[in-house]
Amino acid sequence: MVIHSDSHIVVRQISGEYISKDEILAQYQAPVRGLLESILDATILQINRKENSQADELSKLVQNSSDLNSSVYFEELQTPSTDRTKILCIDSPDNWMTPFIAYLRGGTLSEDQNKAKYLKHKAAHFFLKNGQLYRRTFSAPTVKCVDPVEAHHCLWVVHEGICEDHLAAKALAYKIIRQGYHGPIIHSDFVSYVKKCLQCQKFNNVPKQSPSLPVSVLSPIPFAVWGIDIMGPFP
């Protein structure tokens, strides 16, 4: 990967020739170096600003956004992308997988007979492998069970992650299952998750109204009016 930049300071700081004394630049420098180290062969080169005119014009588009076509959209960042709070989980709370893991490991059941019967019935679809809970399925390969936090992350990655597909609710759930993950939130909350997506609400195709008013079909006698739906051809 060859990266071109017209900033003399950025190129020298990334290469290590300059020391980043600015706190804001240092916050951006750390993740950039981490990403470059993960690439097998990456080089950053400095070019003249005249040779970077196309990217320079793109960066100035937002200044003249009022003169652009309405089909061009901008996303305004209210806070810097480096302001992300890191949370370390020091305690793993119980979740929906806890009773299944306890039963498969040591046969532990709830004192409630109804809950114990339900757990024994559902546990036939699950098994443990290297301490991880998996679920057997009929129409897909064996899927990995995830807790609510991991399930929410799966929804985010598939819906608006690196590919930014912004899939509909049903397609989103099927794609996550095909990727090999299972969790209650995937089945129950994917509809509400898509409805809360800001980009889907802004740019989704809105169903249009019928070009004419609906008219009731009156029939004086049985079978006076026939209706048929033409569909196909199907494979």
Side-chain angles (χ1 to χ4, degrees):
M1 176 182 291
V2 180
I3 305 171
H4 299 277
S5 174
D6 56 15
S7 175
H8 177 81
I9 296 178
V10 170
V11 174
R12 295 299 183 272
Q13 288 182 350
I14 295 300
S15 61
E17 298 180 22
Y18 290 175
I19 299 176
S20 180
K21 297 181 179 180
D22 192 304
E23 295 182 359
I24 298 179
L25 291 179
Q27 293 177 1
Y28 287 96
Q29 183 179 358
V32 169
R33 284 185 172 180
L35 291 173
L36 291 177
E37 290 176 358
S38 64
I39 302 174
L40 183 62
D41 186 9
T43 306
I44 180 169
L45 302 175
Q46 181 190 0
I47 60 176
N48 295 328
R49 193 172 294 270
K50 295 181 179 179
E51 300 177 10
N52 202 30
S53 58
Q54 185 176 6
D56 196 40
E57 291 296 330
L58 289 174
S59 65
K60 296 178 180 178
L61 279 179
V62 69
Q63 300 176 5
N64 303 320
S65 58
S66 58
D67 301 332
L68 296 176
N69 193 339
S70 60
S71 61
V72 180
Y73 301 99
F74 298 95
E75 182 179 359
E76 182 180 356
L77 299 179
Q78 302 295 336
T79 58
S81 58
T82 56
D83 293 349
R84 295 182 178 180
T85 304
K86 295 183 178 180
I87 301 176
L88 177 62
C89 181
I90 59 176
D91 184 17
S92 180
D94 294 340
N95 51 57
W96 70 273
M97 297 186 295
T98 303
F100 290 98
I101 296 176
Y103 174 71
L104 294 175
R105 281 180 175 175
T108 305
L109 290 172
S110 174
E111 296 180 358
D112 190 342
Q113 294 184 359
N114 293 331
K115 292 183 178 181
K117 183 178 180 181
Y118 174 81
L119 179 61
K120 292 176 65 176
H121 174 71
K122 289 293 184 180
H125 301 282
F126 297 88
F127 67 94
L128 288 174
K129 183 178 180 181
N130 298 329
Q132 177 63 46
L133 186 66
Y134 291 86
R135 187 179 189 276
R136 301 181 181 92
T137 60
F138 296 101
S139 58
T142 302
V143 292
K144 177 184 177 181
C145 298
V146 293
D147 57 33
V149 177
E150 293 176 326
H152 189 276
H153 181 69
C154 291
L155 289 174
W156 178 84
V157 170
V158 176
H159 184 69
E160 51 191 304
I162 186 172
C163 296
E164 296 186 1
D165 289 341
H166 288 277
L167 299 172
K170 185 179 292 186
L172 175 62
Y174 286 153
K175 189 168 186 178
I176 293 177
I177 296 174
R178 288 198 302 269
Q179 294 300 320
Y181 296 97
H182 169 76
I185 188 175
I186 296 176
H187 297 275
S188 59
D189 290 353
F190 60 88
V191 176
S192 60
Y193 184 87
V194 172
K195 289 182 179 180
K196 295 177 182 178
C197 178
L198 180 61
Q199 302 299 327
C200 290
Q201 303 305 316
K202 281 186 176 181
F203 309 121
N204 191 21
N205 295 326
V206 179
K208 298 181 179 180
Q209 295 182 352
S210 175
S212 60
L213 294 177
V215 180
S216 299
V217 179
L218 302 179
S219 177
I221 59 175
F223 302 104
V225 178
W226 289 77
I228 185 172
D229 294 330
I230 302 176
M231 304 173 65
F234 298 110

